[in-house]
Amino acid sequence: MSPRLTRRRAAMAVASAAVLGTALFSGTATAATSAEPVSTPVPIVTPDGMLMSYIVNAKAANPGQTRLVERAVVAAGGVVVQSWPEIGVVVAHSDRAAFRTNVAAGGGNAVESVGATRTVAVSEGTPEEAGASWGRGASGYKQGAKKDYNGDLPGAQTPAAATDPDEAAQWDMVQIKADQAHKITDGSRSVLVGVLDSGIVPDHPDLKPNIDVPNSVNCTDAGRPDLSPTGWNYSPGGVSAYHGTHVAGTIAAARNGIGIVGVAPNVRIASVKVTNYDGFIYPEYAVCGFVWAGLKHMDVTNSSYYIDPFMYYCEDQPDQYAAKEAVRRAVNWSTGQGVVHAAAAGNAATDLTNNTFDTTSPDDSTPVTRTINSGCHDIPTELDGVATVSATTQATALASFSNRGLGVIDVAAPGRRVLSTLPKDVAPTGYGLLSGTSMASPHVAGVLALMKSAHPTWTPAQMLQRLEAQADDHPCAAPENNVGAACVGPPSENSYYGEGIADALDAVS
C-alpha cells in the first residue's frame, strides 16, 4: 500500500458487494533549536526546462504587496497561476532552474518565502487563464455575504420515515450519540460544510439532496478554482476517488427513507475537490480549498488527508516552510471568516509528540529516510485552530492504525469499519465499510455542524472549546491489537482520546 495514502485508505475494507538534488532558494525558514537536530534536507532540483509549481509568500497580506510578488514572479521567468491577496500567497509555475533565487531577489522586501510544492514536474499543465483577476474582488472570486436561511431550501429532504433502512448498522452514530441528537435536530439548512476531499458522487440518492452545487469547486487545476459544472464531481478510476463520497455520507447523508443517515442529515455540503486523479493533495490545492471555504463563508470544513508530498512539513527546510506557511495562512484566514475545521490525525500508529523519523517522504518521487524535529508537522491536522481527531473501534478502543499524542489529539470518534455512502462502481449497493482516521474526522465535522445549527452565533474558537468540553472522557485503555505507543494521561485528557469521544447530543442541548 502506498505510504502517501495512509490517511486516505489504510486499513480499508469495502463492503457490498522528481529528482532530488541541490536546492536553489532564497527566503526565510525557521532554524531548529540547539537542543535538537536539524531535519534532514530534501532538496528539490528544478532544472531548466522542467515545469515546476511554487508558492511565493508575501511579507504582508494585501493587494499591493501581492502585486509586487506577482511582478517578481514574471520577472524571474514564471507565470502567476493564482493569487490570494487575502493571505499574501501567489501560486506560480516556472521552468527556470534559478526561479526561487531570482524571485526572492527580485521581490525585494515583498517576498517572505518561496518554495517548490512538489518534487516532480507539474502534470496538469499551466491553466490557460492563469494570472490574477483583480476585477472581481481581491482574489478574482466573488466573496458573497453570509446567508441566513430560514426553512427549507430547494433540495432539502422531507423526512420519509422515522429511521432509514440501514441506521441499525450505524454503531458509530450510537457511540457519539448522534441518534439521540437527531431527536432534537437533524441540523439547519443554513449550515454549510465544506468536504475538502476527492469529489462527491453528484447523484447518490443519500447525498444529492444536500449537495450545494453553487458553492462546490475543483481546486486541482494547479491550485486555481475551477468552476466548471462537473469539476467538483467524483472521478471514476482515480486513486481513492471514492473517498470523498464516503466522508460526505458520514457528515450529511440525508434522512429520506434510503440507506443511512449522516451525523447532520439536514445540513448542506459543498464538494471542495483538493485531491487530483492520482491521489495527490499538493499545498496549492489545500490553500485553494481553505480560502474558498472562507470566501463562501462555510461553517465547517473536513480534511481527511495529509498534504503531499511530505507527511511532515519542517520549518527549517525552505521549500517545506513556504508550503506550510501558505497553508497555515489559508487556515487562519478562513477561521477568521467564521469557518471551523476538523482533520484526521493520520493512520501511521505514530505518537506525534515523540516522532523523530519519516521514511515515506517525498511520496511523489523517491522517499528517503529523514530525521525530523519538533518543527516538523503533519498538516493541516497539526495546525493551530484545527480539531485533530483520532479513531476508535466499536468497542471504543483506539484503532490500531490511529496516530496519537498527548496534547495533539483533541477528540476521538469512530473510525473502524464505518458504514457510509460509496459510488456504485466501487460498491454496487452504493454503501460500504471503510476504516481510518479519515472516517473519524467527518463524525466530528458533523458534530460541529449540529453545534452550529443549535448555536448559530458561536465563533470557531467557541465551537472548538465546546467540542472539547462536551466530549465524553475516556480513560486510557489498551489499543486495538496492542499496536503502538501506550496511552498516557488521565481520563480528562490523554494521548489516545484527547478530551474524549465527541458527543453530538451535548452539541445540540
Side-chain angles (χ1 to χ4, degrees):
M1 184 174 299
S2 172
R4 69 183 166 85
L5 300 178
T6 52
R7 180 171 297 173
R8 296 190 279 279
R9 70 176 185 184
M12 179 189 73
V14 177
S16 100
V19 185
L20 304 181
T22 303
L24 298 171
F25 173 82
S26 296
T28 301
T30 303
T33 67
S34 58
E36 62 182 352
V38 173
S39 66
T40 302
V42 185
I44 303 172
V45 165
T46 57
D48 277 327
M50 179 182 286
L51 184 66
M52 299 292 288
S53 178
Y54 300 89
I55 276 178
V56 188
N57 296 313
K59 286 188 177 178
N62 61 57
Q65 285 274 294
T66 307
R67 286 191 182 95
L68 291 176
V69 170
E70 289 184 312
R71 291 168 188 161
V73 165
V74 174
V79 174
V80 175
V81 173
Q82 177 64 36
S83 286
W84 298 113
E86 299 87 348
I87 59 173
V89 171
V90 173
V91 179
H93 286 178
S94 179
D95 62 1
R96 306 289 178 86
F99 175 77
R100 279 171 288 190
T101 299
N102 292 341
V103 76
N109 292 329
V111 175
E112 188 262 358
S113 55
V114 53
T117 66
R118 49 188 99 177
T119 68
V120 294
V122 172
S123 60
E124 61 266 41
T126 301
E128 292 183 4
E129 296 182 2
S133 175
W134 300 98
R136 292 179 290 163
S139 68
Y141 295 93
K142 187 175 181 181
Q143 180 175 353
K146 173 69 176 176
K147 294 180 180 179
D148 182 16
Y149 292 106
N150 294 306
D152 287 343
L153 293 177
Q157 70 274 13
T158 300
T163 60
D164 280 5
D166 293 324
E167 277 191 75
Q170 292 185 273
W171 64 268
D172 50 319
M173 298 298 164
V174 176
Q175 186 175 109
I176 65 169
K177 304 178 191 171
D179 57 331
Q180 298 178 58
H182 294 163
K183 296 175 182 178
I184 299 173
T185 180
D186 278 347
S188 168
R189 295 303 284 177
S190 68
V191 171
L192 177 60
V193 180
V195 183
L196 277 60
D197 216 293
S198 60
I200 300 174
V201 171
D203 58 356
H204 194 293
D206 249 345
L207 300 178
K208 185 177 180 179
N210 289 339
I211 297 174
D212 185 326
V213 173
N215 284 317
S216 294
V217 69
N218 172 25
C219 282
T220 68
D221 185 19
R224 181 177 173 83
D226 167 18
L227 299 178
S228 61
T230 61
W232 56 268
N233 288 187
Y234 156 72
S235 300
V239 175
S240 297
Y242 52 80
H243 188 275
T245 297
H246 197 276
V247 166
T250 295
I251 297 169
R255 184 179 299 284
N256 56 1
I258 301 170
I260 64 168
V261 295
V263 178
N266 196 46
V267 304
R268 294 171 296 130
I269 50 177
S271 175
V272 181
K273 193 172 184 177
V274 296
T275 309
N276 70 17
Y277 189 81
D278 295 321
F280 290 102
I281 301 161
Y282 286 117
E284 58 268 39
Y285 302 172
V287 168
C288 168
F290 285 116
V291 175
W292 188 262
L295 286 170
K296 298 303 176 181
H297 292 290
M298 296 181 188
D299 297 286
V300 184
T301 69
N302 184 78
S303 296
S304 287
Y305 57 84
Y306 68 84
I307 293 174
D308 301 296
F310 296 96
M311 183 176 280
Y312 306 101
Y313 279 77
C314 299
E315 298 270 342
D316 58 3
Q317 301 303 319
D319 287 303
Q320 295 167 51
Y321 170 82
K324 182 179 180 181
E325 173 63 14
V327 176
R328 178 165 43 210
R329 292 183 185 190
V331 169
N332 289 345
W333 183 81
S334 60
T335 300
Q337 303 303 304
V339 190
V340 65
H341 309 286
N347 297 340
T350 296
D351 184 339
L352 294 173
T353 65
N354 185 28
N355 191 18
T356 57
F357 289 97
D358 174 22
T359 62
T360 67
S361 306
D363 60 19
D364 60 350
S365 55
T366 303
V368 299
T369 297
R370 61 179 185 142
T371 299
I372 61 176
N373 56 40
S374 64
C376 302
H377 297 105
D378 179 341
I379 61 174
T381 194
E382 288 194 85
L383 294 177
D384 290 343
V386 178
T388 304
V389 186
S390 62
T392 63
T393 68
Q394 187 170 356
T396 72
L398 184 78
S400 59
F401 50 77
S402 181
N403 283 350
R404 58 210 72 183
L406 185 62
V408 176
I409 302 302
D410 292 306
V411 292
R416 170 65 81 184
R417 292 179 61 80
V418 172
L419 178 66
S420 190
T421 48
L422 284 171
K424 287 195 173 182
D425 61 318
V426 175
T429 64
Y431 302 89
L433 301 170
L434 296 183
S435 295
T437 55
S438 279
M439 286 60 253
S441 181
H443 286 89
V444 172
V447 169
L448 290 168
L450 287 179
M451 184 185 294
K452 188 68 173 181
S453 299
H455 307 283
T457 63
W458 282 8
T459 66
Q462 288 175 309
M463 293 174 70
L464 290 179
Q465 190 276 327
R466 297 308 301 165
L467 174 73
E468 295 180 359
Q470 293 170 353
D472 294 333
D473 290 347
H474 197 295
C476 280
E480 181 186 36
N481 303 324
N482 287 310
V483 172
C487 183
V488 295
S492 59
E493 182 182 7
N494 56 56
S495 59
Y496 280 12
Y497 304 93
E499 299 280 348
I501 297 176
D503 189 319
L505 178 60
D506 282 354
V508 300
S509 297

